Amino acid sequence: MTSRFALASILCWALSGPAAACPVCIDLPELTLADRVLGGQVVVLARPGMDDPFRFEAVEFLRGTSEDLDALPEIPFLVSTIFRRKLLRDPASAMLLTYGPQLDEAGIYDGDAWHQTILVTPDRRQTLDHILEDGAGWPWAATNEEDRFRFFASLLTHPDQAFVNTALAEVSRAPYRLIRTVADTVPPGRLRARLTRIEDLPYAPVSILLLGLSRDAATQDYVRHQFRTALERGGLAVDAWAVAGIELDGAQAIAQIARALRRSDLAPDRRDDLILALSVSGTAVQELRPQIAPILHRASMRGVREAGTIAATLYEWRDWTLMEHYRNLLAQDDLEPATRFLLNAMVDGALTLISAPGN
């Protein structure tokens, strides 16, 4: 979780309000299928060319025109012999190609490029058309409004694994307050199976969050066991297991996390995970904040590193308890630039809100 707990990412999450993505799940910076289709300058269905069967040739435009295509770089992908034979055997299928934004490893815009997405069969075309029709008003590269979230949540049990993966990626970007509304959508056995497959590891955090929402008694026992193991030994997605534990047992789980945070031998990355879990749970469930806030206050006083990461959450909660502490930290000459930026945003934003009419 260490790389995901970057100050800039947390700042963007908190200062953008409660609609922002659940940061437990942001291990998936790559754009989703919907992002590719809705954000592409040109979106085409392509098949092997008539003149060169090893090159793709557009056979249908879902977005853009042939003139737009001519103005772009040449489609760089080659059609393999195996794939060419497959397409020739199935004339109703085509490869979905898009030209549009790409992201770097940090999830930041890194120019435009061609992307080869999925093989579109007649069955897949129906769902693809629904994305194009319903998605005209969706925010790009985000699942932070209910309409988009509901659409993809309905695909969590789709028979086509490609659309299930797309749905998980989309749901993983939603705020946890929305994720909490789809309890028991996916059979828990299916979610647990995903945690055992290497190819599904990127979807582990969102799968764990969905497991934590299950009303099945055996699944709840499993989540509690994994939660305790994560607190004691660390491992995969400690933050997600901690959120799931809080979802099940509320105050009891929060108290267990508080005890873990008091351990002097707790690894920094696990500390970050637990702080993040408290922040996510408290942001989604306001009733938990009276118990969580003092824990975050104490953690913030431990050192500059904790203060920086927690400041964004307290800003989101409009909790100004540590304002004087943050001012004292800002007076230090050796404060790390990203931490200084975040604390300044917290202090300046708080002053603006406090001085606004009606406050």
Side-chain angles (χ1 to χ4, degrees):
M1 185 71 199
T2 305
S3 63
R4 290 183 284 143
F5 208 71
L7 295 178
S9 297
I10 300 301
L11 177 67
C12 292
W13 161 61
L15 300 193
S16 62
C22 173
V24 164
C25 299
I26 59 174
D27 244 2
L28 291 162
E30 185 61 27
L31 297 174
T32 67
L33 172 63
D35 295 329
R36 297 280 188 220
V37 172
L38 299 174
Q41 298 175 35
V42 172
V43 180
V44 300
L45 295 177
R47 290 180 58 84
M50 296 293 292
D51 298 328
D52 184 351
F54 293 98
R55 291 279 181 184
F56 279 109
E57 181 178 280
V59 296
E60 184 179 351
F61 286 84
L62 303 183
R63 174 166 292 175
T65 64
S66 57
E67 289 77 15
D68 296 328
L69 179 62
D70 290 340
L72 298 179
E74 184 180 12
I75 296 173
F77 312 115
L78 295 176
V79 185
S80 69
T81 301
I82 295 175
F83 194 65
R84 180 170 60 89
R85 290 173 180 167
K86 184 175 183 178
L87 285 173
L88 290 175
R89 287 196 305 268
D90 186 1
S93 297
M95 177 58 68
L96 180 66
L97 303 178
T98 68
Y99 185 85
Q102 63 181 350
L103 305 182
D104 64 15
E105 292 182 356
I108 299 172
Y109 172 72
D110 190 29
D112 294 331
W114 279 106
H115 304 279
Q116 186 172 247
T117 56
I118 62 170
L119 177 68
V120 178
T121 62
D123 288 340
R124 286 180 171 179
R125 177 62 188 268
Q126 184 177 15
T127 303
L128 180 61
D129 286 343
H130 284 316
I131 293 174
L132 286 163
E133 293 164 9
D134 294 4
W138 292 341
W140 183 76
T143 314
N144 57 8
E145 65 175 30
E146 191 158 348
D147 286 346
R148 179 166 181 158
F149 176 80
R150 294 296 169 204
F151 178 91
F152 286 103
S154 71
L155 299 182
L156 287 171
T157 54
H158 196 283
D160 189 325
Q161 193 61 45
F163 288 121
V164 173
N165 289 344
T166 296
L168 283 169
E170 290 277 347
V171 168
S172 76
R173 301 190 311 188
Y176 185 56
R177 62 178 176 81
L178 284 180
I179 297 174
R180 295 180 76 237
T181 66
V182 292
D184 291 319
T185 300
V186 184
R190 194 177 303 174
L191 293 169
R192 289 180 63 171
R194 278 187 165 271
L195 300 182
T196 66
R197 297 192 294 260
I198 294 177
E199 65 270 22
D200 287 334
L201 285 182
Y203 305 101
V206 66
S207 298
I208 292 167
L209 294 185
L210 292 173
L211 281 170
L213 299 168
S214 175
R215 300 182 185 92
D216 174 68
T219 300
Q220 291 181 345
D221 289 343
Y222 169 75
V223 170
R224 288 188 176 99
H225 172 75
Q226 295 298 121
F227 167 64
R228 291 192 298 269
T229 300
L231 285 185
E232 295 168 4
R233 305 176 192 172
L236 174 68
V238 170
D239 46 5
W241 286 119
V243 172
I246 294 171
E247 187 66 45
L248 279 180
D249 294 325
Q252 179 181 343
I254 293 169
Q256 290 176 269
I257 292 173
R259 288 194 293 272
L261 285 172
R262 289 196 291 269
R263 287 171 42 189
S264 59
D265 62 341
L266 188 65
D269 59 342
R270 207 184 315 171
R271 181 177 299 278
D272 287 346
D273 283 356
L274 297 179
I275 288 172
L276 181 54
L278 291 171
S279 299
V280 168
S281 297
T283 298
V285 186
Q286 190 167 351
E287 293 77 11
L288 296 176
R289 294 181 194 175
Q291 184 182 2
I292 292 176
I295 302 171
L296 295 184
H297 295 163
R298 289 194 297 271
S300 189
M301 298 295 286
R302 281 181 56 95
V304 175
R305 182 170 177 273
E306 286 83 357
T309 54
I310 291 168
T313 296
L314 297 183
Y315 182 97
E316 169 73 8
W317 297 0
R318 303 298 188 259
D319 180 340
W320 316 128
T321 304
L322 299 181
M323 288 286 288
E324 190 61 34
H325 175 58
Y326 291 150
R327 289 194 184 96
N328 292 335
L329 291 177
L330 287 168
Q332 298 179 10
D333 294 333
D334 58 348
L335 194 63
E336 198 269 333
T339 303
R340 182 177 297 280
F341 174 76
L342 201 155
L343 294 181
N344 265 320
M346 164 70 166
V347 172
D348 292 346
L351 291 175
T352 300
L353 289 171
I354 292 171
S355 62
N359 289 338

